[in-house]
Amino acid sequence: MGDLQDQQFLHSKLGTPWSDGTEGVTQCPILPGETFIYKFVVDRAGTYLYHGHYGMQRAAGLYGSIIVSLPEGVSEPFSYDYDHNIILSDWYHASTNEQAAGLSAIPFVFVGEPQSLLIYGRGKYNCSLSTASGIAAGVCNTTNPECSPYSLTVVPGKTYRLRIGSLTSLSALSFEIEGHDMTVVEADGNYVEPFAIRNLYIYSGETYSVLVKADQDSSRNYWATINVVARKPATPTGLAIFNYYPNHPQKQPPTVPTTGPLWNDTTSRLAQSLAFKARQGFINTPPVTSDRVIVLLNTQNKIDGHFKWSLNNLSLILPQTPYLIALRENLTDAFVQDPPPDGYDFANYDIHSVAKNVNATSSNRIYRLRFNSTVDVILQNANSMTVNNSETHPWHLHGHDFWVLGYGTGKYNLSRDWRKYNVVNPIMKNTAPLHPYGWTALRFRADNPGVWAFHCHVESHFYMGMGVVFEEGIEKGGELPSSIRGCGESEGHHRP
Amino acid sequence: MGDLQDQQFLHSKLGTPWSDGTEGVTQCPILPGETFIYKFVVDRAGTYLYHGHYGMQRAAGLYGSIIVSLPEGVSEPFSYDYDHNIILSDWYHASTNEQAAGLSAIPFVFVGEPQSLLIYGRGKYNCSLSTASGIAAGVCNTTNPECSPYSLTVVPGKTYRLRIGSLTSLSALSFEIEGHDMTVVEADGNYVEPFAIRNLYIYSGETYSVLVKADQDSSRNYWATINVVARKPATPTGLAIFNYYPNHPQKQPPTVPTTGPLWNDTTSRLAQSLAFKARQGFINTPPVTSDRVIVLLNTQNKIDGHFKWSLNNLSLILPQTPYLIALRENLTDAFVQDPPPDGYDFANYDIHSVAKNVNATSSNRIYRLRFNSTVDVILQNANSMTVNNSETHPWHLHGHDFWVLGYGTGKYNLSRDWRKYNVVNPIMKNTAPLHPYGWTALRFRADNPGVWAFHCHVESHFYMGMGVVFEEGIEKGGELPSSIRGCGESEGHHRP
């Protein structure tokens, strides 16, 4: 699984910020052969993810789900007969070391689109060559049952809760089950007001629960598919079989699997993002105003000839000494103490064009937030270094859920666009997409003492600097465990 | 999973005797919510088991397999296409707390035969009532695929290595796959000279690898079955489906599943035990003679009205302070320092009758062995407290493999029966059966510094005192980790 490994748990980890698993932020790397125990209170039921958070280790497959059960005597506000967990991912033939080396090289070498899409860890390669029709794409005729696609067996008439998480390196996905509506009921561990969809857009780092009723013709099977959206696809449809008992689980559906919605139909994706509301009876109302607004301009840049991603022209490089240790022990030379900027040159920056000057600066500065204050973050998208191209970035905040106040297109207007916010029943999440040429407005309470990464969940983007770090209430909480030490200025080498 | 848990790994754990996981022998109990890390070198490839080793916790389901791979560049001395792992077990409706309370009660309450037999954790209850024929026994017609039996899909013409382990509480089993020969190639992590069988007798704590070729009519499926042997069965046959691709995995075979060999055909079981030889080219020859012979008479007894099992009239009760700590730190009041006897009243004890005096004594004495000496253990079976009944006991030794020198019937004759030993190519194992009214002769090198349990692997028998403890080279090796402390005279309470 590579040489070093961390874990990122998508929980709040209130009181145990050293269990967040972010190398360089909350701990030193875990060396080969070492053991590191993450211990934290799971404070809310729901569907979560964990994965390696060092270099590009996640892309090598170091990930999984965490399902937190409801306390005894409490039940979900919706009903279903069975509960299944499905991770979606993409897969490359190039090793993550190769990929990372390319990203750091001059000239820049980008691995590009994945070779396969995986459902439940299963996918196919090169099967599209076997037929022209595409029916066999991703399935291939084979006599080896170990190469067969994932098959979800359902009993006619029963309702299934599918807990779907995406841990793709790169790809935004559209997931659908042929001929079946899905009702969304949970997102990132929060209940949402149920609504029916034909396809679910899901971005890396997100989780959703959908309810699906096996109410179609039970004499056949159906395709479950994933397709790339938001980037021009070069990867075949990922396939699984929605198997009606007692048909053979591997019996091919009689239909051609969908190739999904138009990859560049941003409007449809934005509309789905806007459709989510907190569930009635479970609304956690946000503070009406905030104490601070931080606008983060998302740009692709160059630094000394290397390709980078930046926020307000600063590209994140994590320090040798993890922030959590440096801040607790006042190691002021561990990183630059000046804060990064709260905004960019709003008046003059043209988000619809390649920047006139694409050069940026490397930085390890952090945002220090007043404990218990309310913070708004406006993510502002822009043109990349390619003409007429703006990418989709799923932004993930550690240690908190945020309210998703709104999404919009074009340049966010500070004096006007806050009027578009939903402050009545906004959904809470820990990951939200920033759509091409658009903005996403988030609000959170800085109420979790510690240091927390906030970054684009595309593996290569974070690797190339697309993140910031928040600190709040660092002086609070218990003693740091020695297990997080052993690098930079943090003394000693930890032993498990 | 109950309140306390330990782990028992069936490896030698040379140099890390504190990682054996035997509560009372090598460590204190692990308290609820605590974490305990077992760390040891896996020094040989093969198929092993682990399980809770506190009270009757194993019977509650705290168990699993450990498959140790071959080092890179080394290959097995046999070939196969696919590798599958299968645990066999039995299942009770009464909780293990209830079962344990009954075993300690006056009058004695024995939980008796299990309600179900499980293959890969799957079994059925009360299905035998649904038809008279027994075909549906253990399968039941159901529209719920989650209640279906384990189905092992095979590709016609391919060869499968099945790694089969038994972790039953009580039952000795016969495993077979309808219409298919099996070739045994591994036992307890040691290569055996391949030989073909129709049914495999397997006792709790044992593992075997068998090779099975999918060479039968591939238009249908076949039953894989387990049946109770060595005790009068009251549990329906445990069923799985040996599924020929592309038949439906749950398609019922057109046949009636076998109810197995006669449960009381001891001759057939003894013959299979005797058939195992070490594999040519992998023979580890035992020392020709031993330095010490310990004969252990296996009897069922009473102590103060409680039912017990004893060795040489002593029934094991583990001390509050684990032996490993007590011996290292010379806590001489932690257990009785006098050794237990190396034999019984050979001349006068009639192994074929209920003992004239069934009373025994509780004991925490241990056998202290000279480091690096060669020790023979002769297990001697006898009549239980029931007329015309002698039970089967699978004996498991921690921390070592032993050579299985021989099996015989009747009372072992010290001056004569050693001539029957196989010292040319005996198999090495860590668990071996003692058959009714018979004897089993084992030899091992006392070359692993530490304290090691040797006990009957029937959960209730060990709970009722059926074990002994060996010490060797206690003064050697590294410092004891603090994590094993926290009970009896071992100071402090450990924190993970």
Side-chain angles (χ1 to χ4, degrees), chain A residues 323-357:
Chain A
Y323 289 113
L324 183 59
I325 300 170
L327 285 163
R328 270 291 187 89
E329 297 176 4
N330 231 1
L331 308 172
T332 52
D333 55 342
F335 65 93
V336 175
Q337 301 289 304
D338 305 321
D342 276 15
Y344 67 102
D345 181 0
F346 302 115
N348 299 308
Y349 194 93
D350 177 7
I351 66 153
H352 292 97
S353 310
V354 176
K356 292 175 198 111
N357 178 359

Short mmCIF file of all heavy atoms in Angstrom, two decimals, chain A residues 323-357:
data_model
loop_
_atom_site.label_atom_id
_atom_site.label_comp_id
_atom_site.label_asym_id
_atom_site.label_seq_id
_atom_site.Cartn_x
_atom_site.Cartn_y
_atom_site.Cartn_z
N TYR A 323 1.24 20.95 12.19
CA TYR A 323 0.72 22.18 12.80
C TYR A 323 0.28 21.96 14.24
O TYR A 323 0.50 22.80 15.10
CB TYR A 323 -0.48 22.69 11.99
CG TYR A 323 -0.15 23.25 10.63
CD1 TYR A 323 -0.57 22.62 9.47
CD2 TYR A 323 0.58 24.45 10.51
CE1 TYR A 323 -0.29 23.14 8.21
CE2 TYR A 323 0.86 24.97 9.24
CZ TYR A 323 0.43 24.31 8.10
OH TYR A 323 0.71 24.84 6.87
N LEU A 324 -0.40 20.86 14.48
CA LEU A 324 -0.96 20.63 15.81
C LEU A 324 0.13 20.67 16.87
O LEU A 324 -0.05 21.28 17.94
CB LEU A 324 -1.69 19.27 15.83
CG LEU A 324 -2.40 18.89 17.12
CD1 LEU A 324 -3.47 19.90 17.51
CD2 LEU A 324 -3.04 17.50 17.00
N ILE A 325 1.28 20.06 16.57
CA ILE A 325 2.38 20.06 17.54
C ILE A 325 3.04 21.43 17.59
O ILE A 325 3.30 21.97 18.67
CB ILE A 325 3.41 18.97 17.15
CG1 ILE A 325 2.74 17.58 17.15
CG2 ILE A 325 4.60 18.99 18.10
CD1 ILE A 325 3.59 16.46 16.57
N ALA A 326 3.29 22.02 16.40
CA ALA A 326 3.96 23.32 16.34
C ALA A 326 3.17 24.38 17.10
O ALA A 326 3.75 25.20 17.84
CB ALA A 326 4.14 23.73 14.88
N LEU A 327 1.86 24.37 16.96
CA LEU A 327 1.03 25.40 17.60
C LEU A 327 0.94 25.18 19.10
O LEU A 327 1.04 26.12 19.88
CB LEU A 327 -0.38 25.37 16.99
CG LEU A 327 -0.49 25.98 15.59
CD1 LEU A 327 -1.77 25.56 14.92
CD2 LEU A 327 -0.40 27.50 15.67
N ARG A 328 0.81 23.94 19.52
CA ARG A 328 0.71 23.65 20.95
C ARG A 328 2.02 23.99 21.65
O ARG A 328 2.02 24.40 22.80
CB ARG A 328 0.42 22.16 21.14
CG ARG A 328 -1.04 21.80 21.20
CD ARG A 328 -1.70 22.33 22.46
NE ARG A 328 -3.07 21.83 22.56
CZ ARG A 328 -3.38 20.67 23.16
NH1 ARG A 328 -2.43 19.92 23.68
NH2 ARG A 328 -4.63 20.30 23.22
N GLU A 329 3.15 23.82 20.95
CA GLU A 329 4.45 23.98 21.61
C GLU A 329 5.15 25.25 21.18
O GLU A 329 6.34 25.41 21.46
CB GLU A 329 5.28 22.72 21.37
CG GLU A 329 4.57 21.55 22.03
CD GLU A 329 5.23 20.21 21.80
OE1 GLU A 329 6.31 20.17 21.18
OE2 GLU A 329 4.63 19.21 22.26
N ASN A 330 4.39 26.10 20.46
CA ASN A 330 4.93 27.42 20.12
C ASN A 330 6.23 27.33 19.31
O ASN A 330 7.17 28.09 19.54
CB ASN A 330 5.15 28.21 21.40
CG ASN A 330 4.49 29.58 21.29
OD1 ASN A 330 3.88 29.90 20.26
ND2 ASN A 330 4.65 30.39 22.31
N LEU A 331 6.30 26.37 18.40
CA LEU A 331 7.48 26.24 17.54
C LEU A 331 7.26 27.18 16.36
O LEU A 331 6.80 26.78 15.30
CB LEU A 331 7.63 24.78 17.08
CG LEU A 331 7.61 23.75 18.20
CD1 LEU A 331 7.57 22.32 17.63
CD2 LEU A 331 8.84 23.91 19.09
N THR A 332 7.57 28.46 16.58
CA THR A 332 7.15 29.49 15.62
C THR A 332 7.95 29.44 14.32
O THR A 332 7.55 30.05 13.32
CB THR A 332 7.27 30.90 16.22
OG1 THR A 332 8.59 31.04 16.76
CG2 THR A 332 6.23 31.10 17.32
N ASP A 333 9.05 28.71 14.31
CA ASP A 333 9.79 28.59 13.05
C ASP A 333 9.34 27.39 12.22
O ASP A 333 9.87 27.12 11.15
CB ASP A 333 11.31 28.54 13.31
CG ASP A 333 11.67 27.42 14.28
OD1 ASP A 333 10.76 26.93 15.00
OD2 ASP A 333 12.84 27.03 14.32
N ALA A 334 8.33 26.67 12.71
CA ALA A 334 7.87 25.48 11.98
C ALA A 334 7.10 25.87 10.72
O ALA A 334 7.09 25.12 9.74
CB ALA A 334 6.99 24.61 12.88
N PHE A 335 6.45 27.05 10.74
CA PHE A 335 5.74 27.53 9.55
C PHE A 335 5.65 29.05 9.63
O PHE A 335 5.86 29.64 10.70
CB PHE A 335 4.35 26.89 9.44
CG PHE A 335 3.40 27.24 10.54
CD1 PHE A 335 2.50 28.30 10.41
CD2 PHE A 335 3.39 26.53 11.74
CE1 PHE A 335 1.63 28.63 11.44
CE2 PHE A 335 2.52 26.85 12.77
CZ PHE A 335 1.63 27.91 12.62
N VAL A 336 5.32 29.68 8.53
CA VAL A 336 5.25 31.15 8.48
C VAL A 336 4.02 31.62 9.26
O VAL A 336 2.91 31.16 9.01
CB VAL A 336 5.18 31.63 7.00
CG1 VAL A 336 4.99 33.14 6.94
CG2 VAL A 336 6.45 31.21 6.27
N GLN A 337 4.25 32.53 10.19
CA GLN A 337 3.20 32.91 11.13
C GLN A 337 2.18 33.89 10.56
O GLN A 337 1.08 33.98 11.06
CB GLN A 337 3.84 33.48 12.41
CG GLN A 337 4.78 32.49 13.10
CD GLN A 337 4.04 31.32 13.76
OE1 GLN A 337 3.17 31.53 14.58
NE2 GLN A 337 4.36 30.11 13.35
N ASP A 338 2.55 34.66 9.54
CA ASP A 338 1.59 35.61 8.95
C ASP A 338 0.40 34.85 8.36
O ASP A 338 0.58 33.79 7.77
CB ASP A 338 2.25 36.40 7.81
CG ASP A 338 3.52 37.09 8.27
OD1 ASP A 338 3.54 37.59 9.40
OD2 ASP A 338 4.51 37.07 7.50
N PRO A 339 -0.79 35.43 8.50
CA PRO A 339 -1.96 34.74 7.95
C PRO A 339 -2.04 34.86 6.43
O PRO A 339 -1.51 35.82 5.87
CB PRO A 339 -3.13 35.48 8.61
CG PRO A 339 -2.60 36.83 8.91
CD PRO A 339 -1.14 36.69 9.19
N PRO A 340 -2.68 33.94 5.78
CA PRO A 340 -2.95 34.08 4.34
C PRO A 340 -4.09 35.09 4.15
O PRO A 340 -4.81 35.39 5.11
CB PRO A 340 -3.36 32.68 3.92
CG PRO A 340 -3.82 32.00 5.15
CD PRO A 340 -3.21 32.68 6.32
N PRO A 341 -4.30 35.58 2.93
CA PRO A 341 -5.32 36.62 2.72
C PRO A 341 -6.75 36.06 2.78
O PRO A 341 -6.99 34.93 2.40
CB PRO A 341 -5.00 37.15 1.31
CG PRO A 341 -4.21 36.07 0.66
CD PRO A 341 -3.49 35.32 1.73
N ASP A 342 -7.69 36.89 3.25
CA ASP A 342 -9.09 36.53 3.33
C ASP A 342 -9.83 36.72 2.01
O ASP A 342 -11.03 36.44 1.93
CB ASP A 342 -9.80 37.35 4.42
CG ASP A 342 -9.61 36.74 5.80
OD1 ASP A 342 -8.73 35.87 5.95
OD2 ASP A 342 -10.31 37.14 6.74
N GLY A 343 -9.14 37.24 1.00
CA GLY A 343 -9.82 37.45 -0.28
C GLY A 343 -8.81 37.59 -1.40
O GLY A 343 -7.61 37.35 -1.21
N TYR A 344 -9.28 37.93 -2.58
CA TYR A 344 -8.41 38.15 -3.74
C TYR A 344 -8.77 39.49 -4.34
O TYR A 344 -9.61 40.23 -3.81
CB TYR A 344 -8.57 36.99 -4.73
CG TYR A 344 -9.93 36.92 -5.39
CD1 TYR A 344 -10.11 37.37 -6.70
CD2 TYR A 344 -11.04 36.43 -4.72
CE1 TYR A 344 -11.36 37.32 -7.32
CE2 TYR A 344 -12.29 36.37 -5.33
CZ TYR A 344 -12.44 36.80 -6.63
OH TYR A 344 -13.67 36.77 -7.23
N ASP A 345 -8.18 39.84 -5.44
CA ASP A 345 -8.42 41.14 -6.08
C ASP A 345 -9.76 41.08 -6.82
O ASP A 345 -9.82 40.89 -8.02
CB ASP A 345 -7.25 41.41 -7.05
CG ASP A 345 -7.40 42.76 -7.74
OD1 ASP A 345 -8.40 43.47 -7.47
OD2 ASP A 345 -6.52 43.09 -8.56
N PHE A 346 -10.85 41.23 -6.01
CA PHE A 346 -12.21 41.04 -6.53
C PHE A 346 -12.47 41.90 -7.77
O PHE A 346 -13.09 41.46 -8.74
CB PHE A 346 -13.26 41.41 -5.47
CG PHE A 346 -13.13 40.62 -4.21
CD1 PHE A 346 -12.79 41.24 -3.02
CD2 PHE A 346 -13.35 39.25 -4.20
CE1 PHE A 346 -12.68 40.51 -1.84
CE2 PHE A 346 -13.24 38.52 -3.02
CZ PHE A 346 -12.90 39.16 -1.84
N ALA A 347 -12.03 43.14 -7.74
CA ALA A 347 -12.38 44.10 -8.77
C ALA A 347 -11.76 43.75 -10.12
O ALA A 347 -12.39 43.89 -11.17
CB ALA A 347 -11.97 45.49 -8.35
N ASN A 348 -10.52 43.25 -10.07
CA ASN A 348 -9.79 43.14 -11.33
C ASN A 348 -9.59 41.73 -11.87
O ASN A 348 -9.20 41.55 -13.01
CB ASN A 348 -8.42 43.81 -11.17
CG ASN A 348 -8.58 45.28 -10.83
OD1 ASN A 348 -9.28 46.00 -11.54
ND2 ASN A 348 -7.98 45.71 -9.73
N TYR A 349 -9.82 40.70 -11.04
CA TYR A 349 -9.54 39.34 -11.52
C TYR A 349 -10.69 38.86 -12.40
O TYR A 349 -11.86 38.87 -11.99
CB TYR A 349 -9.33 38.38 -10.35
CG TYR A 349 -8.72 37.07 -10.80
CD1 TYR A 349 -7.34 36.87 -10.79
CD2 TYR A 349 -9.52 36.05 -11.31
CE1 TYR A 349 -6.77 35.69 -11.23
CE2 TYR A 349 -8.98 34.86 -11.77
CZ TYR A 349 -7.59 34.69 -11.72
OH TYR A 349 -7.04 33.52 -12.17
N ASP A 350 -10.37 38.39 -13.59
CA ASP A 350 -11.39 37.88 -14.51
C ASP A 350 -11.46 36.36 -14.39
O ASP A 350 -10.59 35.64 -14.88
CB ASP A 350 -11.03 38.28 -15.95
CG ASP A 350 -12.03 37.71 -16.95
OD1 ASP A 350 -13.07 37.13 -16.53
OD2 ASP A 350 -11.77 37.85 -18.17
N ILE A 351 -12.52 35.87 -13.75
CA ILE A 351 -12.60 34.42 -13.49
C ILE A 351 -12.89 33.64 -14.77
O ILE A 351 -12.77 32.41 -14.78
CB ILE A 351 -13.68 34.07 -12.44
CG1 ILE A 351 -15.08 34.41 -12.95
CG2 ILE A 351 -13.39 34.74 -11.11
CD1 ILE A 351 -16.17 33.55 -12.33
N HIS A 352 -13.27 34.29 -15.82
CA HIS A 352 -13.63 33.58 -17.06
C HIS A 352 -12.48 33.43 -18.05
O HIS A 352 -12.67 32.86 -19.13
CB HIS A 352 -14.83 34.27 -17.74
CG HIS A 352 -16.09 34.12 -16.95
ND1 HIS A 352 -16.57 35.08 -16.09
CD2 HIS A 352 -16.98 33.08 -16.86
CE1 HIS A 352 -17.69 34.66 -15.52
NE2 HIS A 352 -17.96 33.45 -15.98
N SER A 353 -11.29 33.92 -17.70
CA SER A 353 -10.15 33.82 -18.61
C SER A 353 -8.96 33.21 -17.90
O SER A 353 -8.89 33.20 -16.66
CB SER A 353 -9.72 35.22 -19.09
OG SER A 353 -10.84 35.92 -19.56
N VAL A 354 -8.03 32.72 -18.70
CA VAL A 354 -6.74 32.30 -18.13
C VAL A 354 -6.11 33.54 -17.51
O VAL A 354 -6.15 34.64 -18.10
CB VAL A 354 -5.83 31.71 -19.23
CG1 VAL A 354 -4.46 31.36 -18.66
CG2 VAL A 354 -6.48 30.47 -19.85
N ALA A 355 -5.55 33.37 -16.31
CA ALA A 355 -4.96 34.52 -15.62
C ALA A 355 -3.85 35.14 -16.46
O ALA A 355 -3.13 34.43 -17.17
CB ALA A 355 -4.42 34.09 -14.26
N LYS A 356 -3.73 36.50 -16.36
CA LYS A 356 -2.66 37.17 -17.11
C LYS A 356 -1.31 36.72 -16.58
O LYS A 356 -0.37 36.51 -17.31
CB LYS A 356 -2.82 38.70 -16.99
CG LYS A 356 -4.07 39.19 -17.70
CD LYS A 356 -4.27 40.71 -17.46
CE LYS A 356 -5.71 41.10 -17.77
NZ LYS A 356 -6.47 41.48 -16.56
N ASN A 357 -1.25 36.59 -15.26
CA ASN A 357 -0.03 36.11 -14.64
C ASN A 357 -0.37 34.85 -13.86
O ASN A 357 -1.06 34.92 -12.84
CB ASN A 357 0.54 37.20 -13.71
CG ASN A 357 1.79 36.71 -12.99
OD1 ASN A 357 2.22 35.57 -13.15
ND2 ASN A 357 2.37 37.60 -12.19
#
